[in-house]
Amino acid sequence: MTEEKTAASWWLYLLRTGSGSLYCGVSTDVSRRLQEHQAGGLKGAKALRGKGELVVVFTYLADSKREAMQLEWQVKRWPKVRKEALIRGEIALPNAEKTPEQSIVIFPVRKKSKKP
C-alpha cells in the first residue's frame, strides 16, 4: 500500500496586536498558528508574548513554501504604512501570482479573556 503525498498549502499572514502593531509570518495552518501565538507558550513567537489580543488582518495563499517565505522576508522589511495599504487592498504583494482580490482574508479570531 502506498500513500500519496499532498503538498501543504502555505500562507503568508499578518496579525494585529492589541496595541496596533503588525506581525508577519507564514504557516500551513493560520488558525492553529494564531492559537499558538495567543497561548504564549514555546510554540508562539516571542515578539507577540504579552501583546494583548491578536487578530488576523491579512492572509495570502502562496503557491509554494518558497514563495511564502520570500514574501514574508520582503513584507517584514516594509514600513507599517505600506503593510496597512496591503491590508486595505490598495497595493499587491511583490511578484505574487494573485491580486489582492484573489487572496483570502480570514475573519478575526478573538482571544477569550480569562476571568479571575
Short mmCIF file of all heavy atoms in Angstrom, two decimals, residues 23-70:
data_model
loop_
_atom_site.label_atom_id
_atom_site.label_comp_id
_atom_site.label_asym_id
_atom_site.label_seq_id
_atom_site.Cartn_x
_atom_site.Cartn_y
_atom_site.Cartn_z
N TYR A 23 2.42 41.97 12.85
CA TYR A 23 3.37 40.86 12.85
C TYR A 23 3.13 40.05 11.60
O TYR A 23 1.99 39.73 11.26
CB TYR A 23 3.15 39.98 14.09
CG TYR A 23 4.00 38.73 14.10
CD1 TYR A 23 5.30 38.76 14.59
CD2 TYR A 23 3.50 37.53 13.60
CE1 TYR A 23 6.08 37.61 14.58
CE2 TYR A 23 4.28 36.39 13.59
CZ TYR A 23 5.56 36.44 14.08
OH TYR A 23 6.34 35.30 14.06
N CYS A 24 4.20 39.69 10.90
CA CYS A 24 4.11 38.92 9.66
C CYS A 24 4.70 37.53 9.87
O CYS A 24 5.75 37.39 10.51
CB CYS A 24 4.87 39.66 8.56
SG CYS A 24 4.81 38.85 6.95
N GLY A 25 4.03 36.51 9.34
CA GLY A 25 4.54 35.16 9.45
C GLY A 25 4.01 34.28 8.33
O GLY A 25 3.22 34.72 7.50
N VAL A 26 4.47 33.02 8.31
CA VAL A 26 3.98 32.03 7.34
C VAL A 26 3.60 30.76 8.09
O VAL A 26 4.16 30.46 9.14
CB VAL A 26 5.02 31.70 6.25
CG1 VAL A 26 5.33 32.90 5.39
CG2 VAL A 26 6.29 31.12 6.83
N SER A 27 2.64 30.04 7.54
CA SER A 27 2.19 28.80 8.18
C SER A 27 1.37 27.99 7.18
O SER A 27 0.85 28.53 6.20
CB SER A 27 1.32 29.12 9.39
OG SER A 27 0.85 27.94 10.01
N THR A 28 1.24 26.71 7.47
CA THR A 28 0.35 25.87 6.68
C THR A 28 -1.06 25.88 7.27
O THR A 28 -2.00 25.43 6.63
CB THR A 28 0.85 24.41 6.64
OG1 THR A 28 1.00 23.93 7.98
CG2 THR A 28 2.17 24.31 5.89
N ASP A 29 -1.20 26.39 8.49
CA ASP A 29 -2.49 26.44 9.18
C ASP A 29 -2.53 27.73 10.01
O ASP A 29 -2.05 27.76 11.14
CB ASP A 29 -2.65 25.21 10.06
CG ASP A 29 -4.01 25.11 10.73
OD1 ASP A 29 -4.72 26.14 10.81
OD2 ASP A 29 -4.36 24.01 11.18
N VAL A 30 -3.11 28.76 9.47
CA VAL A 30 -3.12 30.07 10.12
C VAL A 30 -3.91 30.04 11.43
O VAL A 30 -3.49 30.62 12.43
CB VAL A 30 -3.66 31.17 9.18
CG1 VAL A 30 -3.72 32.52 9.88
CG2 VAL A 30 -2.79 31.27 7.93
N SER A 31 -5.02 29.34 11.47
CA SER A 31 -5.82 29.27 12.70
C SER A 31 -5.03 28.62 13.83
O SER A 31 -5.03 29.10 14.96
CB SER A 31 -7.11 28.49 12.47
OG SER A 31 -7.92 29.16 11.54
N ARG A 32 -4.35 27.51 13.52
CA ARG A 32 -3.53 26.84 14.52
C ARG A 32 -2.41 27.74 14.99
O ARG A 32 -2.13 27.87 16.18
CB ARG A 32 -2.95 25.53 13.96
CG ARG A 32 -1.95 24.86 14.92
CD ARG A 32 -1.19 23.71 14.26
NE ARG A 32 -0.59 24.02 12.97
CZ ARG A 32 0.56 24.68 12.80
NH1 ARG A 32 1.24 25.12 13.83
NH2 ARG A 32 1.03 24.90 11.58
N ARG A 33 -1.77 28.41 14.04
CA ARG A 33 -0.65 29.28 14.38
C ARG A 33 -1.11 30.44 15.27
O ARG A 33 -0.42 30.83 16.21
CB ARG A 33 0.01 29.81 13.10
CG ARG A 33 1.33 30.47 13.33
CD ARG A 33 2.39 29.44 13.73
NE ARG A 33 3.64 30.12 13.97
CZ ARG A 33 4.31 30.04 15.13
NH1 ARG A 33 3.87 29.30 16.11
NH2 ARG A 33 5.44 30.69 15.27
N LEU A 34 -2.28 31.00 14.96
CA LEU A 34 -2.83 32.07 15.78
C LEU A 34 -3.04 31.60 17.21
O LEU A 34 -2.69 32.28 18.17
CB LEU A 34 -4.14 32.59 15.19
CG LEU A 34 -4.89 33.64 16.02
CD1 LEU A 34 -4.05 34.91 16.17
CD2 LEU A 34 -6.22 33.96 15.37
N GLN A 35 -3.58 30.40 17.37
CA GLN A 35 -3.80 29.84 18.71
C GLN A 35 -2.47 29.66 19.44
O GLN A 35 -2.38 29.90 20.65
CB GLN A 35 -4.56 28.53 18.62
CG GLN A 35 -6.00 28.70 18.21
CD GLN A 35 -6.71 27.37 17.99
OE1 GLN A 35 -6.11 26.31 17.98
NE2 GLN A 35 -8.02 27.45 17.80
N GLU A 36 -1.44 29.22 18.73
CA GLU A 36 -0.11 29.06 19.34
C GLU A 36 0.44 30.40 19.81
O GLU A 36 0.99 30.51 20.90
CB GLU A 36 0.86 28.40 18.36
CG GLU A 36 0.55 26.96 18.07
CD GLU A 36 1.38 26.35 16.95
OE1 GLU A 36 2.12 27.08 16.27
OE2 GLU A 36 1.26 25.13 16.75
N HIS A 37 0.28 31.42 18.98
CA HIS A 37 0.74 32.76 19.36
C HIS A 37 -0.04 33.27 20.58
O HIS A 37 0.54 33.82 21.51
CB HIS A 37 0.56 33.76 18.21
CG HIS A 37 1.51 33.55 17.06
ND1 HIS A 37 2.86 33.37 17.20
CD2 HIS A 37 1.27 33.54 15.72
CE1 HIS A 37 3.43 33.24 16.02
NE2 HIS A 37 2.47 33.34 15.09
N GLN A 38 -1.35 33.08 20.57
CA GLN A 38 -2.18 33.57 21.66
C GLN A 38 -1.89 32.85 22.97
O GLN A 38 -1.98 33.45 24.04
CB GLN A 38 -3.67 33.43 21.31
CG GLN A 38 -4.11 34.42 20.27
CD GLN A 38 -5.57 34.24 19.89
OE1 GLN A 38 -6.10 33.15 19.91
NE2 GLN A 38 -6.20 35.33 19.52
N ALA A 39 -1.54 31.58 22.89
CA ALA A 39 -1.25 30.81 24.09
C ALA A 39 0.02 31.31 24.78
O ALA A 39 0.18 31.16 25.99
CB ALA A 39 -1.12 29.33 23.75
N GLY A 40 0.92 31.92 24.00
CA GLY A 40 2.13 32.49 24.57
C GLY A 40 3.15 31.47 25.01
O GLY A 40 4.12 31.80 25.69
N GLY A 41 3.00 30.22 24.63
CA GLY A 41 3.94 29.17 25.01
C GLY A 41 5.17 29.14 24.13
O GLY A 41 5.47 30.10 23.40
N LEU A 42 5.87 28.03 24.18
CA LEU A 42 7.11 27.88 23.42
C LEU A 42 6.90 27.91 21.90
O LEU A 42 7.81 28.28 21.16
CB LEU A 42 7.83 26.59 23.82
CG LEU A 42 8.34 26.54 25.25
CD1 LEU A 42 8.92 25.16 25.57
CD2 LEU A 42 9.37 27.62 25.49
N LYS A 43 5.72 27.50 21.45
CA LYS A 43 5.47 27.48 20.01
C LYS A 43 5.09 28.84 19.44
O LYS A 43 5.15 29.05 18.24
CB LYS A 43 4.38 26.46 19.68
CG LYS A 43 4.85 25.03 19.88
CD LYS A 43 3.82 24.06 19.37
CE LYS A 43 4.33 22.64 19.52
NZ LYS A 43 3.44 21.66 18.91
N GLY A 44 4.68 29.76 20.28
CA GLY A 44 4.31 31.10 19.83
C GLY A 44 5.54 31.98 19.69
O GLY A 44 6.56 31.75 20.33
N ALA A 45 5.45 32.99 18.87
CA ALA A 45 6.56 33.92 18.66
C ALA A 45 6.81 34.75 19.92
O ALA A 45 5.86 35.27 20.52
CB ALA A 45 6.26 34.84 17.48
N LYS A 46 8.07 34.88 20.30
CA LYS A 46 8.43 35.70 21.46
C LYS A 46 7.98 37.14 21.29
O LYS A 46 7.58 37.79 22.24
CB LYS A 46 9.94 35.67 21.70
CG LYS A 46 10.45 34.40 22.29
CD LYS A 46 11.94 34.49 22.55
CE LYS A 46 12.48 33.19 23.09
NZ LYS A 46 13.93 33.27 23.35
N ALA A 47 8.03 37.62 20.06
CA ALA A 47 7.68 39.01 19.78
C ALA A 47 6.22 39.32 20.10
O ALA A 47 5.85 40.47 20.28
CB ALA A 47 7.95 39.33 18.31
N LEU A 48 5.38 38.29 20.19
CA LEU A 48 3.95 38.50 20.42
C LEU A 48 3.53 38.26 21.86
O LEU A 48 2.39 38.54 22.23
CB LEU A 48 3.12 37.61 19.49
CG LEU A 48 3.26 37.93 18.01
CD1 LEU A 48 2.50 36.91 17.17
CD2 LEU A 48 2.77 39.34 17.70
N ARG A 49 4.42 37.78 22.68
CA ARG A 49 4.07 37.48 24.07
C ARG A 49 3.75 38.77 24.82
O ARG A 49 4.50 39.73 24.78
CB ARG A 49 5.20 36.73 24.75
CG ARG A 49 5.35 35.33 24.19
CD ARG A 49 6.41 34.53 24.89
NE ARG A 49 6.65 33.32 24.11
CZ ARG A 49 7.74 32.61 24.18
NH1 ARG A 49 8.71 32.94 25.01
NH2 ARG A 49 7.88 31.53 23.43
N GLY A 50 2.61 38.76 25.49
CA GLY A 50 2.20 39.91 26.28
C GLY A 50 1.72 41.10 25.47
O GLY A 50 1.59 42.20 25.98
N LYS A 51 1.42 40.89 24.20
CA LYS A 51 0.98 41.99 23.33
C LYS A 51 -0.52 42.15 23.27
O LYS A 51 -1.04 42.93 22.50
CB LYS A 51 1.53 41.80 21.90
CG LYS A 51 3.03 41.75 21.80
CD LYS A 51 3.65 43.08 22.14
CE LYS A 51 5.16 42.98 21.94
NZ LYS A 51 5.87 44.16 22.33
N GLY A 52 -1.24 41.37 24.05
CA GLY A 52 -2.70 41.50 24.08
C GLY A 52 -3.37 40.69 22.99
O GLY A 52 -2.81 39.74 22.46
N GLU A 53 -4.57 41.09 22.68
CA GLU A 53 -5.39 40.40 21.69
C GLU A 53 -4.71 40.40 20.32
O GLU A 53 -4.16 41.41 19.88
CB GLU A 53 -6.74 41.10 21.58
CG GLU A 53 -7.68 40.46 20.62
CD GLU A 53 -9.01 41.20 20.55
OE1 GLU A 53 -9.11 42.32 21.06
OE2 GLU A 53 -9.94 40.63 19.98
N LEU A 54 -4.77 39.27 19.64
CA LEU A 54 -4.22 39.14 18.29
C LEU A 54 -5.35 38.90 17.31
O LEU A 54 -6.25 38.10 17.58
CB LEU A 54 -3.23 37.97 18.22
CG LEU A 54 -2.06 38.00 19.19
CD1 LEU A 54 -1.24 36.72 19.08
CD2 LEU A 54 -1.18 39.22 18.93
N VAL A 55 -5.30 39.60 16.18
CA VAL A 55 -6.34 39.48 15.15
C VAL A 55 -5.66 39.28 13.81
O VAL A 55 -4.73 40.01 13.46
CB VAL A 55 -7.23 40.75 15.10
CG1 VAL A 55 -8.28 40.62 14.03
CG2 VAL A 55 -7.88 41.00 16.45
N VAL A 56 -6.12 38.27 13.06
CA VAL A 56 -5.62 38.06 11.70
C VAL A 56 -6.24 39.14 10.82
O VAL A 56 -7.46 39.24 10.73
CB VAL A 56 -5.99 36.66 11.17
CG1 VAL A 56 -5.52 36.49 9.73
CG2 VAL A 56 -5.41 35.57 12.06
N VAL A 57 -5.40 39.96 10.17
CA VAL A 57 -5.92 41.04 9.34
C VAL A 57 -5.64 40.84 7.85
O VAL A 57 -6.22 41.53 7.02
CB VAL A 57 -5.37 42.42 9.80
CG1 VAL A 57 -5.93 42.79 11.16
CG2 VAL A 57 -3.85 42.44 9.80
N PHE A 58 -4.78 39.87 7.52
CA PHE A 58 -4.48 39.62 6.11
C PHE A 58 -3.92 38.22 5.97
O PHE A 58 -3.13 37.77 6.80
CB PHE A 58 -3.43 40.63 5.60
CG PHE A 58 -3.02 40.39 4.16
CD1 PHE A 58 -3.79 40.89 3.13
CD2 PHE A 58 -1.89 39.67 3.84
CE1 PHE A 58 -3.43 40.68 1.80
CE2 PHE A 58 -1.52 39.46 2.52
CZ PHE A 58 -2.30 39.96 1.50
N THR A 59 -4.36 37.52 4.93
CA THR A 59 -3.78 36.23 4.57
C THR A 59 -3.61 36.17 3.07
O THR A 59 -4.36 36.81 2.31
CB THR A 59 -4.65 35.04 5.02
OG1 THR A 59 -5.92 35.12 4.40
CG2 THR A 59 -4.78 34.98 6.53
N TYR A 60 -2.64 35.39 2.64
CA TYR A 60 -2.39 35.19 1.22
C TYR A 60 -1.96 33.75 1.02
O TYR A 60 -1.00 33.29 1.66
CB TYR A 60 -1.30 36.14 0.73
CG TYR A 60 -0.86 35.89 -0.69
CD1 TYR A 60 -1.60 36.37 -1.77
CD2 TYR A 60 0.28 35.15 -0.97
CE1 TYR A 60 -1.21 36.13 -3.07
CE2 TYR A 60 0.69 34.91 -2.28
CZ TYR A 60 -0.06 35.39 -3.32
OH TYR A 60 0.32 35.14 -4.61
N LEU A 61 -2.66 33.02 0.19
CA LEU A 61 -2.31 31.64 -0.12
C LEU A 61 -1.22 31.64 -1.19
O LEU A 61 -1.46 32.02 -2.34
CB LEU A 61 -3.54 30.87 -0.62
CG LEU A 61 -3.32 29.42 -1.02
CD1 LEU A 61 -2.75 28.61 0.15
CD2 LEU A 61 -4.62 28.82 -1.51
N ALA A 62 -0.02 31.25 -0.79
CA ALA A 62 1.11 31.22 -1.72
C ALA A 62 1.08 29.94 -2.54
O ALA A 62 0.45 28.95 -2.15
CB ALA A 62 2.41 31.31 -0.93
N ASP A 63 1.80 29.96 -3.64
CA ASP A 63 1.86 28.78 -4.50
C ASP A 63 2.83 27.73 -3.96
O ASP A 63 2.79 26.58 -4.38
CB ASP A 63 2.26 29.18 -5.92
CG ASP A 63 1.14 29.93 -6.62
OD1 ASP A 63 -0.04 29.70 -6.30
OD2 ASP A 63 1.45 30.77 -7.50
N SER A 64 3.71 28.12 -3.05
CA SER A 64 4.70 27.20 -2.51
C SER A 64 5.26 27.75 -1.20
O SER A 64 5.08 28.92 -0.88
CB SER A 64 5.86 27.01 -3.50
OG SER A 64 6.57 28.24 -3.65
N LYS A 65 5.95 26.89 -0.46
CA LYS A 65 6.62 27.33 0.76
C LYS A 65 7.65 28.39 0.42
O LYS A 65 7.79 29.39 1.13
CB LYS A 65 7.28 26.14 1.45
CG LYS A 65 8.02 26.51 2.71
CD LYS A 65 8.66 25.28 3.36
CE LYS A 65 9.40 25.65 4.62
NZ LYS A 65 10.03 24.47 5.25
N ARG A 66 8.34 28.19 -0.67
CA ARG A 66 9.37 29.14 -1.10
C ARG A 66 8.78 30.53 -1.33
O ARG A 66 9.31 31.53 -0.86
CB ARG A 66 10.07 28.63 -2.35
CG ARG A 66 11.12 29.56 -2.88
CD ARG A 66 11.72 29.03 -4.16
NE ARG A 66 12.61 30.06 -4.71
CZ ARG A 66 13.74 29.81 -5.32
NH1 ARG A 66 14.14 28.58 -5.48
NH2 ARG A 66 14.46 30.80 -5.79
N GLU A 67 7.67 30.58 -2.07
CA GLU A 67 7.03 31.87 -2.33
C GLU A 67 6.59 32.53 -1.03
O GLU A 67 6.81 33.72 -0.81
CB GLU A 67 5.83 31.72 -3.26
CG GLU A 67 5.17 33.07 -3.56
CD GLU A 67 3.82 32.99 -4.25
OE1 GLU A 67 3.16 31.93 -4.23
OE2 GLU A 67 3.40 34.03 -4.81
N ALA A 68 5.99 31.75 -0.13
CA ALA A 68 5.51 32.29 1.15
C ALA A 68 6.67 32.88 1.94
O ALA A 68 6.57 33.99 2.48
CB ALA A 68 4.81 31.21 1.96
N MET A 69 7.79 32.16 2.01
CA MET A 69 8.93 32.63 2.79
C MET A 69 9.61 33.84 2.15
O MET A 69 10.07 34.74 2.86
CB MET A 69 9.91 31.49 3.01
CG MET A 69 9.31 30.40 3.89
SD MET A 69 10.42 29.06 4.24
CE MET A 69 11.37 29.81 5.55
N GLN A 70 9.65 33.88 0.83
CA GLN A 70 10.22 35.05 0.15
C GLN A 70 9.36 36.28 0.39
O GLN A 70 9.87 37.38 0.64
CB GLN A 70 10.37 34.77 -1.35
CG GLN A 70 11.50 33.83 -1.67
CD GLN A 70 11.56 33.46 -3.14
OE1 GLN A 70 10.58 33.57 -3.88
NE2 GLN A 70 12.72 33.00 -3.58
#
